[in-house]
């Protein structure tokens, strides 16, 4: 998770997007890492998790990430959670919750409510909450609190 936080800070400081960094690990090796690039790419699908999945698939030259674990500074939104499931990621560790994403200006909860997704406790595990919440506050202090 520390590497995901570091990746998110890189994105924040570059102005690429929100405070979302993701790392994908398989067999104790990092196979993908990325941060949110929604603003940089003018693409609402460039969330940290999606970008990390793209990075990992490119690196291993396979769309199937079975057996891998994703670390994300924020709980995956419905789009990212489904992408993780499509990629066969077995476990997702996250720092801040969807409700906390909402507190800093993101609409994840809105879409989660619309889709009525239930949290899958088998694959979603919250870790390093304080560090990720500190990251979110850092982001908020530097941003103009844009809605994404």
């Amino acid at each position: 998770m520390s590497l995901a936080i570091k990746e998110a800070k890189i994105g924040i400081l570059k102005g690429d997007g929100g405070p979302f960094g993701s790392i994908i690990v398989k067999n104790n090796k990092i196979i993908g890492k990325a941060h949110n690039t929604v603003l940089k790419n003018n693409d609402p699908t460039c969330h940290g998790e999606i970008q990390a999945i793209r990075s990992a698939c490119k690196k291993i030259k396979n769309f199937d990430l079975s057996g891998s674990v994703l670390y994300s500074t924020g709980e995956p939104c419905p789009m990212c959670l489904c992408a993780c499931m499509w990629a066969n990621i077995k476990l997702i560790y996250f720092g801040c919750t969807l409700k906390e994403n909402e507190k800093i200006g993101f609409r994840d909860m809105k879409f989660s409510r619309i889709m009525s997704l239930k949290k899958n406790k088998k694959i979603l595990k919250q870790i390093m909450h304080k560090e990720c919440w500190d990251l979110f506050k850092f982001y908020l202090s530097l941003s103009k609190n844009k809605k994404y």
Side-chain angles (χ1 to χ4, degrees), residues 82-125:
C82 289
C84 289
M85 295 166 77
W86 275 107
N88 296 312
I89 292 171
K90 74 173 181 178
L91 185 61
I92 300 164
Y93 290 105
F94 65 93
C96 292
T97 65
L98 292 178
K99 286 183 183 179
E100 289 166 322
N101 294 358
E102 187 173 55
K103 287 180 183 179
I104 63 167
F106 292 85
R107 301 177 293 156
D108 306 57
M109 279 301 297
K110 173 185 174 182
F111 298 117
S112 185
R113 282 194 228 38
I114 290 169
M115 298 182 71
S116 299
L117 290 178
K118 304 289 183 203
K119 288 185 182 179
N120 187 331
K121 298 294 183 186
K122 288 184 178 182
I123 65 169
L124 286 170
K125 307 286 181 190

Side-chain angles (χ1 to χ4, degrees), residues 38-101:
V38 168
L39 297 178
K40 176 184 176 184
N41 295 332
N42 290 312
D43 181 342
T45 68
C46 289
H47 292 194
E49 299 94 333
I50 300 291
Q51 298 298 78
I53 290 169
R54 290 173 178 153
S55 170
C57 291
K58 185 176 181 180
K59 183 171 184 170
I60 68 167
K61 296 177 175 56
N62 195 327
F63 63 87
D64 186 356
L65 301 179
S66 290
S68 63
V69 175
L70 182 135
Y71 295 84
S72 180
T73 56
E75 182 178 353
C77 72
M79 175 184 71
C80 291
L81 181 57
C82 289
C84 289
M85 295 166 77
W86 275 107
N88 296 312
I89 292 171
K90 74 173 181 178
L91 185 61
I92 300 164
Y93 290 105
F94 65 93
C96 292
T97 65
L98 292 178
K99 286 183 183 179
E100 289 166 322
N101 294 358

Side-chain angles (χ1 to χ4, degrees), residues 1-10 19-25 30 32-34 49 69-76 91-97 100-101 123-136:
M1 182 62 80
S2 296
L3 293 174
I5 293 169
K6 183 178 178 179
E7 183 66 29
K9 281 185 181 176
I10 291 168
F20 305 103
S22 296
I23 304 291
I24 299 176
V25 175
I30 294 173
K33 68 177 184 170
E49 299 94 333
V69 175
L70 182 135
Y71 295 84
S72 180
T73 56
E75 182 178 353
L91 185 61
I92 300 164
Y93 290 105
F94 65 93
C96 292
T97 65
E100 289 166 322
N101 294 358
I123 65 169
L124 286 170
K125 307 286 181 190
Q126 187 174 24
I127 63 171
M128 291 182 67
H129 174 260
K130 182 194 177 311
E131 293 86 346
C132 292
W133 185 241
D134 288 344
L135 171 75
F136 278 29

